[in-house]
């Protein structure tokens, strides 16, 4: 994109289609929320909101209809977009089949069985961390752990707001780090780096806040009455697919092989235990595909819209303005963090926020020599920090739903210690590079034109 943007004349009007998309998505959420609609910011389908932006692009941008359509299709079908969308489908299949064969329930019950009752709040955080890391979804982890956490908090006399903050914090830990999370997929593909490298860089930033959070929960999360230790039903075999996927991904095995192999392993275990048949295995795999259809379409259509806007000079106009405020690498990193954070506040969707800002972040990174592994980590992390803290985000809305309105988002937000510490960790790292060991050991090859677009081997 760097080469193309240098030849394109800046044009602020070209950004209007993106503004149309954001205005419709944000505006519908505000209107529905004012009317008391549950999950208001998730009622208007995101793919339709993006497509409204595409229509605006066809109406506003210069060129004949065929030229604009060719640009749109080229953007939709770009290599990065297609790889991203394929990974979404495979991740959905793995998550769906693994859940159907009982993997999520076994993982939660395994943790609850072996965590001492007096440490249950910290244990809930750790269980949420692992579930979200294994499944790649914060909402999925919340759905699995939150009902159990509410029951335990009531029985043990735990602070319900603190307990729910532990669930949300743990859920966002995995959403940010998981190699099958849609945010990780979007961040690494838009920045042109490998998932395992982003994971290693990101882990050094996320682990200290997670450890401090566990310590704080051990200190302040003691139950007023210690609940009786229970033995929940679990099967370690059903946890194996998650462990295998995680280990193989970090080891650098190809992402398609990892997710396909993980799905097949979960299917075999499900069939062996009588939870699945060959036919239901196929159906659950397909259901996993369809569960990702929203983000698949958003990614593909946004890719087309972004390419049209870029060719019309919109990205160049924005970069020219941003560049005036950026003086070097540190301020470039701050700028990337601010852009994705503000976008997530506006549209309450961390994956879409990354997709929107990915091309801009990639260009900024190229100009100011911000390592793509670093920019991918910043995009993913700050979008997850904001997503887990905004009161109208899916995570906070789910908290209200599971507690039946007994806990408001405003009571939970001050207790989201993990997200707050993670933000501090990222900001400090911009000025004191304490987590740059991997980057220094293997510097990005800026002189290699193919480096920025190297293919994922995971």
């Amino acid at each position: 994109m760097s080469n193309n943007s240098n030849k394109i004349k800046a044009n602020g009007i070209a950004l209007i289609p993106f503004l149309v998309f954001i205005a419709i998505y944000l505006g519908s959420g505000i209107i529905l929320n004012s009317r008391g609609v549950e999950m208001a910011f998730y009622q208007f389908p995101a793919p339709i909101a993006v497509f409204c932006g595409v229509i605006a692009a066809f109406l506003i941008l210069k060129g004949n209809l065929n030229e604009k359509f060719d640009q749109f299709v080229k953007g939709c079908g770009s290599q990065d977009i297609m790889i991203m969308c394929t990974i979404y489908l495979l991740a959905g299949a793995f998550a769906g089949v693994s859940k159907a064969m009982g993997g999520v329930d076994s993982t939660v019950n395994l943790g609850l069985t072996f965590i001492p009752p007096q440490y249950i709040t910290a244990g809930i955080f750790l269980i949420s961390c692992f579930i979200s890391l294994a499944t790649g979804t914060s909402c999925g982890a919340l759905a699995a752990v939150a009902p159990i956490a509410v029951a335990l908090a009531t029985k043990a006399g735990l602070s319900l707001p603190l307990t729910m903050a532990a669930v949300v914090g743990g859920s966002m830990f995995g959403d940010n780090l998981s190699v099958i999370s849609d945010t990780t997929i979007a961040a690494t593909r838009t920045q042109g780096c490998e998932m395992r490298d982003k994971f290693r860089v990101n882990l050094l930033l996320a682990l200290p806040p997670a450890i401090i959070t566990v310590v704080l929960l051990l200190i302040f999360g003691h139950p007023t009455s210690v609940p009786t230790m229970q033995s929940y039903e679990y099967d370690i075999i059903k946890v194996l697919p998650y462990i295998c996927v995680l280990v193989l991904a970090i080891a650098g095995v190809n992402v398609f092989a990892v997710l396909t192999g993980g799905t097949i392993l979960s299917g075999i275990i499900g069939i062996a235990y009588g939870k699945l048949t060959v036919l239901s295995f196929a159906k659950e795999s397909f259901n996993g595909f369809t569960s990702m259809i929203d983000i698949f379409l958003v990614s593909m259509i946004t890719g087309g819209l972004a390419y049209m806007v870029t060719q019309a000079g919109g990205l160049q106009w924005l970069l020219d303005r941003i560049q005036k405020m950026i003086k070097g690498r540190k301020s470039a990193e701050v700028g990337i963090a601010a852009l994705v954070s503000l976008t997530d506040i506006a549209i309450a969707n961390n994956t879409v926020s990354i997709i929107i800002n990915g091309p801009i972040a990639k260009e900024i990174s190229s100009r100011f020599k911000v390592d793509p592994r670093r920019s991918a980590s910043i995009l993913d992390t700050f979008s997850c920090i904001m997503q887990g803290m905004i009161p109208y985000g899916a995570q906070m809305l789910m908290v209200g739903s599971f507690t039946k309105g007994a806990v408001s988002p405003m009571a939970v937000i001050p207790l989201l210690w993990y997200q707050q510490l993670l933000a501090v960790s990222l900001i400090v790292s911009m000025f004191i590079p304490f987590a740059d060991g991997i980057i220094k050991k293997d510097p990005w090859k800026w002189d290699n034109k193919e480096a920025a677009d190297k293919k994922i081997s995971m």
Side-chain angles (χ1 to χ4, degrees):
M1 188 175 290
S2 299
N3 294 336
N4 290 338
S5 61
N6 290 333
K7 301 176 183 178
I8 296 172
K9 184 178 179 181
N11 178 18
I13 295 176
L15 289 172
I16 291 177
F18 259 135
L19 297 178
V20 169
F21 158 43
I22 294 174
I24 291 175
Y25 197 72
L26 176 61
S28 63
I30 293 173
I31 293 171
L32 293 173
N33 187 63
S34 67
R35 295 178 180 177
V37 176
E38 189 175 350
M39 302 287 282
F41 283 83
Y42 297 87
Q43 295 300 317
F44 196 97
I48 300 301
V50 181
F51 197 70
C52 289
V54 173
I55 294 173
F58 272 85
L59 294 174
I60 295 171
L61 303 184
K62 294 180 179 179
N64 62 51
L65 186 62
N66 289 334
E67 289 174 346
K68 286 184 280 191
F69 184 74
D70 287 344
Q71 288 181 352
F72 174 69
V73 172
K74 186 174 182 179
C76 289
S78 71
Q79 183 182 26
D80 282 345
I81 295 295
M82 286 297 99
I83 290 175
M84 189 190 305
C85 290
T86 303
I87 297 173
Y88 286 148
L89 295 180
L90 294 174
F94 171 70
V97 173
S98 298
K99 182 178 181 180
M101 65 84 174
V104 174
D105 293 336
S106 275
T107 303
V108 173
N109 292 345
L110 176 65
L112 292 174
T113 297
F114 289 100
I115 293 172
Q118 61 269 34
Y119 305 138
I120 196 64
T121 310
I124 287 171
F125 173 76
L126 291 173
I127 292 171
S128 301
C129 285
F130 184 78
I131 293 292
S132 57
L133 192 64
T135 61
T137 166
S138 56
C139 290
L142 269 164
V145 181
I148 299 172
V150 171
L152 287 172
T154 303
K155 184 175 181 180
L158 297 169
S159 165
L160 194 53
L162 181 58
T163 303
M164 298 314 294
V167 178
V168 174
S171 299
M172 298 315 298
F173 174 88
D175 196 341
N176 172 216
L177 282 173
S178 177
V179 292
I180 62 171
S181 167
D182 48 6
T183 59
T184 296
I185 296 166
T188 53
R189 286 314 307 170
T190 57
Q191 301 311 292
C193 65
E194 298 185 12
M195 291 186 192
R196 62 171 179 172
D197 290 338
K198 181 263 183 188
F199 176 87
R200 291 167 180 168
V201 171
N202 214 155
L203 184 63
L204 296 175
L205 297 166
L207 201 55
I211 293 172
I212 296 172
T213 300
V214 170
V215 173
L216 291 173
L217 290 173
L218 289 173
I219 296 171
F220 298 103
H222 279 294
T224 55
S225 60
V226 179
T228 305
M229 193 71 172
Q230 296 184 42
S231 179
Y232 295 87
E233 184 179 349
Y234 69 90
D235 192 323
I236 193 66
I237 299 297
K238 294 181 179 179
V239 183
L240 285 179
Y242 295 125
I243 298 173
C244 288
V245 165
L246 186 60
V247 171
L248 291 174
I250 296 172
V253 179
N254 181 275
V255 61
F256 303 107
V258 168
L259 292 175
T260 302
T263 304
I264 293 172
L265 178 58
S266 290
I268 291 172
I269 293 172
I271 292 171
Y273 277 79
K275 293 286 186 179
L276 297 171
T277 63
V278 174
L279 183 60
S280 62
F281 171 34
K283 288 183 177 180
E284 289 297 340
S285 298
F286 180 71
N287 289 339
F289 285 174
T290 57
S291 70
M292 304 298 284
I293 193 66
D294 277 6
I295 194 61
F296 182 102
L297 291 175
V298 166
S299 299
M300 186 179 71
I301 299 172
T302 304
L305 176 60
Y307 189 78
M308 293 178 72
V309 170
T310 299
Q311 293 302 305
L315 177 60
Q316 186 61 48
W317 185 90
L318 187 60
L319 286 169
D320 288 346
R321 270 60 188 173
I322 293 174
Q323 193 168 356
K324 293 178 181 178
M325 297 181 285
I326 297 176
K327 305 302 180 183
R329 184 183 60 80
K330 293 177 182 178
S331 56
E333 292 185 356
V334 172
I336 292 171
L339 280 172
V340 75
S341 298
L342 291 172
T343 304
D344 190 76
I345 291 171
I347 65 175
N349 189 310
N350 48 348
T351 306
V352 177
S353 300
I354 293 170
I355 294 170
I356 290 174
N357 289 285
I360 301 170
K362 186 174 183 180
E363 187 68 26
I364 292 174
S365 298
S366 178
R367 292 190 182 190
F368 294 96
K369 298 298 181 285
V370 177
D371 192 292
R373 294 163 292 189
R374 174 81 178 162
S375 61
S377 181
I378 292 172
L379 279 171
D380 196 347
T381 304
F382 273 98
S383 69
C384 286
I385 289 171
M386 297 312 303
Q387 182 65 27
M389 296 185 73
I390 51 178
Y392 47 86
Q395 291 73 14
M396 283 297 155
L397 294 174
M398 289 178 73
V399 166
S401 175
F402 284 122
T403 59
K404 302 186 185 305
V407 175
S408 72
M410 302 314 295
V412 176
I413 291 173
L415 301 173
L416 293 171
W417 298 329
Y418 172 68
Q419 284 99 312
Q420 295 163 14
L421 290 167
L422 184 59
V424 171
S425 177
L426 262 291
I427 293 170
V428 169
S429 73
M430 294 176 182
F431 301 94
I432 304 174
F434 65 88
D436 285 359
I438 294 172
I439 291 175
K440 291 178 180 178
K441 185 177 179 181
D442 181 24
W444 191 262
K445 298 176 178 61
W446 293 105
D447 57 335
N448 185 353
K449 294 181 180 180
E450 295 181 358
D453 298 308
K454 59 183 178 179
K455 295 181 180 179
I456 278 192
S457 60
M458 186 60 170

